[in-house]
Amino acid sequence: MPHTPTTRRAPDRGRSLLGPALELVHTGRAPTRSALTAALEVTRATAGAVAGELAALGLVTVDQHPIGSTRGRPSHRLGLTPEGPVVLAAQLHADGFSVALAGLGGSLGEPVAHPLPARTDPVSLFGAIADAGAGLIRADRRRCLGAALALPNPVRLPQGTAPAALTFGWPGDTPAAALFADAMAAQDLGPRTRRPLPTAVANDANLVALAEHRHGAGRDARHLLLVTSGHRGVGGALVVDGRLHTGSAGLALEVGHLTVDPLGRPCPCGNRGCLNVETDPAALLAAAGRASDPAGQLLDPAGQLLDPAGQLLDQARELARSAGRDPVARAAVDQVVDRLGLGLAGLANILNPDRIVLGGLHRDLLAAAPERLPEAVIRHSLWGRCDQVPIVASALAHGGLVGAAELAWEPYLANPQLVAG
């Protein structure tokens, strides 16, 4: 008997649209039912049925009072349920960690910052993060569906291992994903939390890029390059057509180890003059002549050792902001900006992005040198001379946490019906 193609029934087709529809509302691209209809390229009835099913899952609200003029058919507003489920977002920094609960739409609760525990081995660190996160989950009456952690080091995929955790000196290929999952499973998460709780870990720069693309300065960019410097070092990520480019093993876009001065400062990776050590907070302070001890650790004006994690970033940002009134700060900013421009030009030559977003200290450097930095990129970039790439500051105050929330929401954006599980 010849095979006869079958036609999928309308309800099945509607369910297959749940994920794309939720992502459209989640990213603000479908604020009304008519916008959802156009974006999904379906009939009004199908879009209404999809929105209704998302509402039944407790994820989306449909305003029953249509908006629009008296001409044509008014549309219903679509929103995200304020009391809907949440996920736990966590981020590990060189000087501490932070946790927050996050709803859909990039909605982040007030982050809670914690100092590092006395021991910084991965088991101790992940245990402290899980304990702090569990406290937030128990104290909230909304249902928690997942947890994700942003790490300041590469993460190998799909294994979820940290091949080189230079910040804390962890052993190579530390099983970060498994350890975080175990730490969360050992917590009392209260009666409203999904069990077993899905967990995930990823590189922090990757997650910041994802957050900026969906909710910040990278909206509508097709090829978004993010470069950022936090407490220490430089990270980067690339988002292509809405998806992170992670390479064959999740280790792509380690932009911090692009050489910009072969005779420059030594980098923890073993090379010299990496973007990682030529454009981070320590590099800016050193360019301003801040004293250092024989080991290269920066000292404050009284000769006391600066906290290499927390104070460095704060002081570097203050230095960048003072460039307009302080000649020493101006010279330091210009030196580091020229190094940064050289690195961005090399990346632009290779990746050809249509937007570059700068975060962390690099955002302050752009503000301090709004003309010099783009000019440096144009000067050294093949394509920049004929097709200038927009360079903009990041828009999210807690991009790493927002990105971690995106990672935790990923299974539900792909299949919203998992919420009912």
Side-chain angles (χ1 to χ4, degrees):
M1 178 181 291
H3 173 71
T4 302
T6 58
T7 302
R8 194 169 7 179
R9 293 177 301 166
D12 293 334
R13 182 165 182 258
R15 291 191 181 96
S16 72
L17 294 172
L18 287 179
L22 181 59
E23 185 165 338
L24 287 166
V25 180
H26 169 66
T27 55
R29 290 177 290 161
T32 64
R33 198 170 70 181
S34 63
L36 184 66
T37 302
L40 293 178
E41 298 181 341
V42 296
T43 65
R44 288 173 59 90
T46 298
V50 169
E53 189 156 353
L54 291 175
L57 290 170
L59 300 173
V60 165
T61 60
V62 181
D63 191 338
Q64 296 305 313
H65 302 285
I67 59 173
S69 65
T70 56
R71 297 179 180 178
R73 301 177 67 179
S75 184
H76 296 76
R77 289 188 182 92
L78 300 180
L80 296 165
T81 307
E83 294 302 315
V86 295
V87 295
L88 173 68
Q91 183 173 13
L92 178 61
H93 310 280
D95 66 333
F97 64 88
S98 51
V99 292
L101 295 179
L104 287 165
S107 173
L108 191 70
E110 185 65 29
V112 181
H114 297 266
L116 292 175
R119 297 178 58 185
T120 57
D121 61 278
V123 172
S124 299
L125 268 178
F126 292 165
I129 293 169
D131 181 67
L136 287 183
I137 292 171
R138 290 193 303 269
D140 197 278
R141 68 182 188 179
R142 293 169 294 178
R143 185 179 178 215
C144 183
L145 297 177
L149 171 63
L151 293 176
N153 46 260
V155 176
R156 190 187 301 278
L157 300 176
Q159 299 92 331
T161 58
L166 302 177
T167 302
F168 300 106
W170 296 345
D173 286 325
T174 293
L179 291 175
F180 182 57
D182 291 345
M184 290 302 303
Q187 300 297 318
D188 173 13
L189 301 176
R192 293 177 296 279
T193 300
R194 177 169 185 157
R195 287 288 195 172
L197 185 69
T199 61
V201 301
N203 171 259
D204 55 1
N206 279 350
L207 295 181
V208 171
L210 191 62
E212 288 289 342
H213 184 270
R214 291 182 178 177
H215 306 292
R219 283 176 181 267
D220 303 321
R222 285 199 58 207
H223 292 75
L224 170 67
L225 172 64
L226 173 102
V227 179
T228 183
S229 179
H231 299 282
R232 186 186 301 168
V234 173
L238 181 69
V239 179
V240 179
D241 291 331
R243 303 298 173 193
L244 278 169
H245 174 73
T246 56
S248 62
L251 306 178
L253 272 293
E254 281 297 317
V255 304
H257 300 289
L258 177 69
T259 301
V260 292
D261 182 4
L263 303 178
R265 297 159 60 87
C267 180
C269 74
N271 291 327
R272 280 187 171 272
C274 293
L275 201 66
N276 200 53
V277 291
E278 295 293 336
T279 66
D280 74 342
L284 180 62
L285 292 168
R290 298 291 174 90
S292 63
D293 66 7
Q297 298 285 350
L298 287 166
L299 308 175
D300 65 17
Q304 299 297 313
L305 182 67
L306 281 173
D307 170 27
Q311 294 185 46
L312 285 185
L313 179 59
D314 293 339
Q315 292 202 14
R317 280 180 159 164
E318 181 57 37
L319 181 68
R321 293 165 186 164
S322 68
R325 60 182 185 274
D326 181 352
V328 174
R330 176 80 270 161
V333 165
D334 289 348
Q335 177 181 322
V336 174
V337 159
D338 288 346
R339 291 279 189 263
L340 179 59
L342 186 62
L344 293 179
L347 293 167
N349 284 338
I350 297 169
L351 302 173
N352 188 214
D354 60 357
R355 194 176 310 171
I356 298 174
V357 174
L358 299 182
L361 175 62
H362 292 168
R363 176 180 177 175
D364 297 287
L365 292 175
L366 176 62
E371 296 179 358
R372 188 182 186 102
L373 180 54
E375 288 172 356
V377 175
I378 293 172
R379 187 167 62 252
H380 295 290
S381 170
L382 173 64
W383 303 118
R385 295 171 188 165
C386 59
D387 188 15
Q388 186 173 350
V389 182
I391 303 174
V392 300
S394 60
L396 302 176
H398 303 283
L401 287 173
V402 176
E406 292 298 310
L407 182 62
W409 277 115
E410 205 66 43
Y412 305 100
L413 291 173
N415 182 6
Q417 288 179 313
L418 292 177
V419 171

